[in-house]
Amino acid sequence: MNTKPIATDESYRILDNQFWYNDCSFIDLIKNKESIVVNIDDLGVRELRHSEDGNDSRTTLSYKFSNKDDRDWWIENRGKKVTIELLSVN
């Protein structure tokens, strides 16, 4: 895995229980990829999996956390701005 960030968003605002990348500065690098590895301020390095398509078959522009504790942390920090470093794309 790359230890040097591929890209960085220094002011990403947490919305809910998922990482919505439509507002992320590096959207073009991660759009519709299967999974990504990111380093998130105060949370650490995590692998996120792309969310499933919506009920209307449109692509959902988000990645989900597989770990409940990570989701809980994300939800608790809703509205906070964090720095997110993109480390790898799969």
Side-chain angles (χ1 to χ4, degrees), residues 18-83:
Q18 300 179 72
F19 169 58
W20 292 91
Y21 61 84
N22 51 316
D23 290 334
C24 181
S25 65
F26 49 81
I27 183 174
D28 293 336
L29 298 173
I30 63 173
K31 189 174 184 179
N32 300 326
K33 303 299 185 197
E34 183 178 327
S35 66
I36 59 173
V37 176
V38 293
N39 184 24
I40 303 167
D41 270 355
D42 299 326
L43 186 60
V45 176
R46 299 294 191 270
E47 180 177 17
L48 306 179
R49 303 287 245 176
H50 200 281
S51 300
E52 296 176 12
D53 291 345
N55 292 337
D56 58 3
S57 299
R58 288 189 301 171
T59 300
T60 302
L61 300 177
S62 69
Y63 285 88
K64 58 187 175 183
F65 294 90
S66 58
N67 181 295
K68 182 185 178 324
D69 290 339
D70 292 346
R71 274 192 311 278
D72 290 347
W73 182 91
W74 196 254
I75 291 167
E76 289 169 12
N77 286 278
R78 182 180 184 167
K80 181 179 177 181
K81 286 189 177 183
V82 293
T83 297

